[in-house]
């Protein structure tokens, strides 16, 4: 890999190793949701690439993905005309902390940039300009050594996201006008029960945890050496013993397996004194369920979303998608029906999160001949969730 000059530009680090089991059967081990065209004509991964395509703000991206998706990653990058700074192929998924550590160590060694922006590859952002403005603001904090997370302005008491409680304004500790609208982090809250989410929204100063971060590279490595030394040591060893071919980095498998399986939130952000938050409202979704896909999609007068060879009669509020034969639905409301030709899911939208359990069950019985698996019904209050405001996908958003 060619070494670059450090500077004020930011290196995007796109995390592309997720499995997306909640969007089964469209999302599969072979082609998970980030490589699917779910909101528009481009895949989620391609949309993420184009979102950070401004070469005045960003360097070429670093991609962290699964080694089994090497060909898929190269195809997607070529389709967007993007030449990455590096493609780091994880031998196995170890969660986001090891992935971020690999990217930080690679960026530092190759002098890509002093800052790196961590972005999952499977999120939907309806207003990329708002996100870019937040990134510009966050860079001012990162220049002081702060670790910045982006807090999404909530529009309902979601129980599927973690929350961030805003602390005092950073500007109270400095006279820099550039730091206006940036806050210390008072508390991280794990995915709450509904009653707690309602209370937090009533209290105010709480934001959804987006899973996006802006880090100064050197301070992050130094902090991880203190807070998560085992992860840094394992990733350093994996890179030293690994293989490099052009832009492709293949960490050593046994060394990488020694890294703790943990998120960057738990490993660093919840333990560091450097954590800050920039509130932003870019009409964001983590597209974490088929109900979320329905929410961001164009709907007809009956609030239905139809894709492919679909026939509906007396149906309201449904998401029906066929990648194969004609799929017909009659007399059902608020359902998800996805037919990929070799598998079909039919589910109430209120139970969309439980599709992950079905995907796991399918994995477990791939080599078995049992005709069906019936999972216990989980009683919850998800059906009481208010429908969030429309974030319907229109024409492809421009590259910010």
């Amino acid at each position: 890999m060619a070494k670059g000059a450090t500077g004020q530009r930011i290196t995007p680090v796109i995390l592309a190793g997720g499995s997306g089991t909640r969007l089964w059967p469209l999302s599969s081990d072979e082609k998970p949701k980030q490589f699917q065209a779910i909101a528009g004509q481009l895949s989620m991964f391609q949309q993420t690439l184009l979102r950070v395509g401004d070469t005045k703000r960003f360097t070429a991206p670093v991609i962290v993905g699964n080694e089994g998706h090497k060909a898929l990653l190269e195809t997607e990058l070529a389709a967007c005309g993007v030449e990455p700074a590096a493609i780091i192929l994880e031998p196995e998924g170890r969660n986001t902390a090891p992935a971020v550590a690999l990217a930080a160590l690679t960026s530092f060694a190759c002098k890509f940039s002093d800052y790196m922006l961590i972005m999952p590859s499977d999120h939907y952002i309806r207003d990329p300009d708002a996100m870019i403005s937040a990134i510009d603001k966050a860079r001012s904090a990162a220049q002081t050594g702060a670790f910045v997370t982006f807090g999404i302005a909530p529009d309902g008491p979601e129980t599927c996201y973690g929350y961030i409680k805003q602390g005092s304004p950073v500007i109270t500790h400095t006279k820099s006008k550039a730091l206006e609208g940036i806050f210390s982090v008072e508390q991280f809250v794990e995915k709450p029960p509904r009653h707690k989410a309602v209370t937090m929204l009533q209290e105010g100063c709480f934001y959804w945890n987006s899973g996006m971060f802006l880090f100064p590279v050197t301070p992050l490595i130094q902090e991880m050496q203190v807070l998560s030394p085992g992860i840094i040591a394992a990733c350093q060893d994996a890179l030293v013993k690994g293989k490099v071919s052009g832009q492709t980095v293949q960490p050593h498998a046994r060394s990488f397996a020694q890294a703790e399986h943990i998120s960057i939130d738990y490993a660093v952000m919840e333990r560091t004194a450097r954590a800050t938050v920039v509130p932003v409202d870019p009409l964001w979704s983590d597209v974490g369920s088929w109900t979320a896909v329905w929410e961001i999609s164009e709907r007809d007068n009956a609030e239905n979303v139809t894709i492919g060879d679909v026939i509906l009669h007396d149906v309201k509020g449904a998401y029906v998608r066929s990648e194969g034969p004609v799929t017909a639905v009659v007399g059902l409301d608020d359902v998800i029906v996805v037919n990929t030709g070799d598998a079909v899911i039919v589910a109430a939208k209120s139970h969309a999160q439980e599709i992950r359990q079905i995907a796991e069950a399918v994995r477990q019985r791939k080599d078995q001949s049992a005709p069906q698996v019936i999972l216990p019904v989980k009683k919850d209050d998800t059906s009481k969730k208010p429908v969030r405001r429309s974030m319907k996908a229109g024409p492809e958003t421009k590259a910010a």
Side-chain angles (χ1 to χ4, degrees):
M1 290 177 294
K3 294 189 177 183
T6 59
Q8 297 305 305
R9 290 195 301 166
I10 298 168
T11 296
V13 175
I14 299 177
L15 305 181
S19 58
T21 54
R22 286 174 292 181
L23 293 190
W24 184 85
L26 183 66
S27 178
S28 64
D29 290 339
E30 294 75 24
K31 192 174 182 180
K33 77 169 186 177
Q34 60 267 31
F35 302 119
Q36 301 284 353
I38 291 171
Q41 299 300 311
L42 299 178
S43 72
M44 308 295 286
F45 177 74
Q46 290 173 332
Q47 291 183 35
T48 306
L49 285 173
L50 296 180
R51 204 172 293 141
V52 289
D54 182 353
T55 56
K56 293 181 180 179
R57 284 186 173 93
F58 303 106
T59 71
V62 171
I63 312 299
V64 184
N66 187 297
E67 65 179 2
H69 297 147
K70 180 177 184 293
L72 189 53
L73 285 165
E74 291 173 345
T75 299
E76 294 265 308
L77 286 160
C80 287
V82 174
E83 182 74 21
I87 302 176
I88 303 173
L89 299 174
E90 294 178 300
E92 61 177 285
R94 305 296 297 166
N95 214 319
T96 55
V100 169
L102 287 175
L105 292 167
T106 301
S107 185
F108 178 81
C110 296
K111 296 181 168 46
F112 293 147
S113 171
D114 293 334
Y115 310 98
M116 61 182 199
L117 173 68
I118 309 300
M119 302 185 75
S121 61
D122 56 358
H123 288 185
Y124 173 77
I125 293 178
R126 183 73 180 92
D127 186 355
D129 290 339
M131 193 68 228
I132 293 298
S133 295
I135 292 168
D136 287 344
K137 181 183 293 187
R139 179 169 50 190
S140 299
Q143 287 169 345
T144 71
F147 298 170
V148 187
T149 184
F150 297 90
I152 305 297
D155 57 21
E158 280 284 358
T159 59
C160 300
Y161 303 141
Y163 284 71
I164 301 165
K165 186 175 184 181
Q166 167 188 308
S168 61
V170 172
I171 199 168
T172 60
H173 310 293
T174 176
K175 295 180 180 179
S176 173
K177 293 286 187 181
L179 298 178
E180 288 183 349
I182 304 174
F183 302 88
S184 63
V185 173
E186 182 172 323
Q187 182 186 9
F188 286 92
V189 180
E190 189 49 78
K191 298 173 183 177
R194 182 177 171 79
H195 71 274
K196 185 174 181 179
V198 170
T199 300
M200 289 192 298
L201 262 61
Q202 291 172 343
E203 181 180 337
C205 298
F206 281 92
Y207 299 91
W208 292 335
N209 187 347
S210 68
M212 295 183 284
F213 308 92
L214 183 62
F215 293 114
V217 174
T218 300
L220 174 63
I221 294 172
Q222 293 170 339
E223 192 83 334
M224 291 192 77
Q225 286 172 332
V226 175
L227 299 178
S228 302
I231 292 175
I232 284 290
C235 290
Q236 284 178 323
D237 193 49
L239 290 171
V240 169
K241 294 179 180 177
K243 299 177 182 179
V244 178
S245 176
Q247 278 81 32
T248 303
V249 180
Q250 293 180 283
H252 187 263
R254 279 182 299 196
S255 298
F256 188 61
Q258 301 306 306
E260 183 181 1
H261 189 293
I262 190 172
S263 71
I264 193 67
D265 305 71
Y266 288 141
V268 176
M269 293 300 291
E270 294 190 13
R271 301 168 62 197
T272 182
R274 295 173 178 264
T276 62
V277 58
V278 172
V280 61
D281 186 11
L283 299 178
W284 166 93
S285 172
D286 73 344
V287 198
S289 69
W290 281 115
T291 300
V293 176
W294 173 82
E295 289 174 341
I296 66 174
S297 300
E298 289 286 353
R299 304 193 284 273
D300 63 20
N301 291 337
E303 293 292 292
N304 294 317
V305 176
T306 56
I307 298 173
D309 197 355
V310 169
I311 299 173
L312 304 184
H313 177 72
D314 192 23
V315 174
K316 296 178 182 178
Y319 182 94
V320 184
R321 179 178 190 134
S322 177
E323 304 284 321
V326 60
T327 300
V329 180
V330 179
L332 296 177
D333 295 343
D334 299 319
V335 295
I336 297 157
V337 180
V338 179
N339 182 349
T340 59
D342 58 358
V344 179
I345 186 73
V346 180
K349 285 193 315 197
S350 60
H351 288 261
Q353 292 292 337
E354 295 167 45
I355 291 177
R356 168 180 279 177
Q357 296 172 250
I358 301 296
E360 293 300 330
V362 170
R363 278 180 178 170
Q364 294 172 12
R365 65 185 286 268
K366 271 187 176 180
D367 298 326
Q368 301 174 7
S369 58
Q372 65 179 5
V373 172
I374 301 177
L375 298 173
V377 175
K378 178 183 177 183
K379 298 296 184 181
D380 57 32
D381 61 356
T382 53
S383 61
K384 299 177 184 177
K385 286 199 310 180
V387 175
R388 289 159 48 197
R389 66 175 178 272
S390 173
M391 295 191 296
K392 295 181 182 179
E396 288 299 323
T397 53
K398 64 182 180 179

